[in-house]
Amino acid sequence: MSFPNDFVWGAAASSYQIEGGAFDDGKGLSVWDMFCRQPGKIWGGNTGDVSSDHYHRYKEDARLMGAIGLKAYRLSVSWPRVLPEGVGTINKKGIGFYDRLVDALLENGVEPWVTLFHWDYPYELYRRGGWLNRDSSDWFAEYTKVLVDKLSDRVSHWITLNEPQVFIDAGHQTGRHAPGLQLSYADLLVAAHNSLLAHGKAVQVIRAGARTKPVIGAAPVGITTIPATGSEQDIRAARGRMFSMHEKNFMSNTWFADPMLLGRYPVDGAKLFGSEMPAISDGDMKTICQKLDFYGANIYQGKIVRADSDGGAEVVKGADGEALTTMDWPITPEALYWGPRFLYDRYGLPIVITENGMANMDWIHADGKVHDPQRTDYISRHLRQLKRVIDGGVTVRGYFVWTIMDNFEWAHGYKQRFGLIYADYTTGDRTLKDSAYWYKDVIASNGDSIGDA
Ligand code: FCB
């Protein structure tokens, strides 16, 4: 069951979800700080003000990551912690935190993979129009340069945007996430286009300024499809469904990745949006389409698809009583076979699974331990499928569990626990779950301990 020798075994988290310290040391506000204050938006009225308090406990956390044997930790930087107004004056204490975090990780043998943007947009820039403002990509480039200048002597792995699909859809279309807007398609398309420009300019800034040879990717999400059977027709139907747009929707695999990697918007989507399409200036698509080193895929689940009688594709409804996580997400391990397979065929880039994991009903049992066999089963089944696709010739460089430690799960607040480490939000205590010990063995054996069963 061994994985490639240099396979990167990691875990991920994001700034707003894990740090807390929301008002400490000169940090500026983010749209999430504001959104959580609106009644009824977050389960239980929770906020990320304190969360797992990683901002104050990062040393202990880096030690725990080292004890698990993580090769890499995917963190994100809070833009307003570093630049309280989004641009301009740098908050020395804010950037100092990431400086020290990077050192603490390296001291524990854990390589930092830095995501530039995981949704906590500076509130001051939001007041200036946020992603709707054409200058937003320059703001993002300025911010990126601050990080590159400070961290690139030790950081080589960079991820520009996390799931633009979600911050556009949930943040700007349905309003379930910060900043809670419900924009028209025309405006949504402008915001999405500006975020793509931000991605492209960030890649340029990293390539131009990094002191260590950079390895750069983005981490989009989308609906992963799984063919109902191994027949040619079902595989074609599933592939077609994964990369087509048949309704106006931003949860698309192609809307963001095609511009980034192929230099054009998908024709079917552009046709659907028609006159709502944004103005695309000369050179925009070239700016957006920068050479990337890997495709970061966030994959949690897949939809089963089969060919229908007139050559199209149809989604197969899950069986009654199918296995679901506490997020109500179906457990479909083959998503980690077909997702990488289809993405690799289309974009030709090495794949890194930048997020995969499950929310579970975790608590500290009477023996003082957190027994989470569902999670070890979930991860091992997914890893077996990942191994299968690697054996089938797809280049996969790494795998990051979402998430290292229980944290603020956006609109679900603290209700959903995704961590390898249990966080007690009252005391701040951390307890390694059984899955963390299990993952330690997986890493130490380079995947051998998962077995084939
Ligand atoms: C992804 C997000 C991540 C986390 C997981 C469960 O969409 O990138 O922050 O919320 O889902």
Side-chain angles (χ1 to χ4, degrees), residues 52 405-407 417 421-425 428-431 433:
S52 337
M405 178 182 306
D406 295 336
N407 56 45
R417 292 182 178 272
I421 300 174
Y422 182 93
D424 179 324
Y425 299 113
D429 290 349
R430 281 95 165 97
T431 305
K433 299 180 190 175

Side-chain angles (χ1 to χ4, degrees), residues 17 118-119 162-163 298 300 329 355 402 409-410 418:
Q17 291 180 275
H118 201 129
W119 309 351
N162 183 70
E163 300 186 353
N298 290 358
Y300 290 86
W329 294 354
E355 289 182 23
W402 183 271
E409 180 47 39
W410 309 116
F418 273 90

Side-chain angles (χ1 to χ4, degrees), residues 66 262 399 422:
L262 308 178
Y399 171 87
Y422 182 93

Side-chain angles (χ1 to χ4, degrees), residues 81-287:
R81 195 184 288 291
V82 169
L83 290 161
E85 307 205 340
V87 287
T89 311
I90 299 172
N91 176 20
K92 290 217 168 56
K93 287 189 173 161
I95 186 80
F97 168 68
Y98 296 103
D99 195 31
R100 286 179 278 120
L101 173 58
V102 162
D103 282 344
L105 291 168
L106 292 171
E107 276 160 26
N108 286 282
V110 181
E111 212 196 341
W113 285 43
V114 172
T115 301
L116 303 174
F117 182 66
H118 201 129
W119 309 351
D120 40 359
Y121 197 88
Y123 183 66
E124 289 307 319
L125 294 182
Y126 169 69
R127 280 156 45 95
R128 293 166 65 182
W131 289 121
L132 285 168
N133 189 322
R134 172 122 186 142
D135 292 342
S136 54
S137 58
D138 291 326
W139 302 334
F140 194 67
E142 179 181 334
Y143 157 63
T144 302
K145 181 153 190 318
V146 173
L147 299 188
V148 168
D149 286 350
K150 188 72 179 179
L151 305 177
S152 71
D153 54 338
R154 288 151 292 156
V155 171
S156 53
H157 287 80
W158 302 91
I159 292 167
T160 56
L161 304 179
N162 183 70
E163 300 186 353
Q165 286 84 351
V166 173
F167 68 73
I168 295 296
D169 170 285
H172 295 78
Q173 180 169 22
T174 66
R176 281 185 299 113
H177 282 185
L181 301 179
Q182 295 186 314
L183 301 177
S184 66
Y185 280 112
D187 282 345
L188 290 163
L189 287 159
V190 168
H193 187 68
N194 288 335
S195 74
L196 282 166
L197 284 168
H199 157 84
K201 289 185 186 175
V203 177
Q204 290 175 329
V205 168
I206 299 168
R207 294 242 187 260
R211 279 173 280 161
T212 317
K213 190 171 184 293
V215 181
I216 311 175
V221 69
I223 312 284
T224 296
T225 58
I226 300 169
T229 73
S231 75
E232 274 307 307
Q233 295 90 314
D234 284 350
I235 294 175
R236 202 174 321 117
R239 189 192 298 271
R241 175 55 77 104
M242 183 147 162
F243 297 118
S244 63
M245 291 178 68
H246 35 89
E247 56 187 15
K248 292 180 184 177
N249 188 332
F250 288 92
M251 285 306 294
S252 148
N253 285 296
T254 53
W255 193 256
F256 296 91
D258 279 14
M260 284 178 183
L261 296 163
L262 308 178
R264 53 171 166 71
Y265 279 110
V267 174
D268 54 359
K271 210 164 143 194
L272 276 172
F273 290 122
S275 60
E276 291 157 324
M277 280 295 284
I280 299 174
S281 306
D282 279 357
D284 279 7
M285 299 317 287
K286 224 171 142 203
T287 302

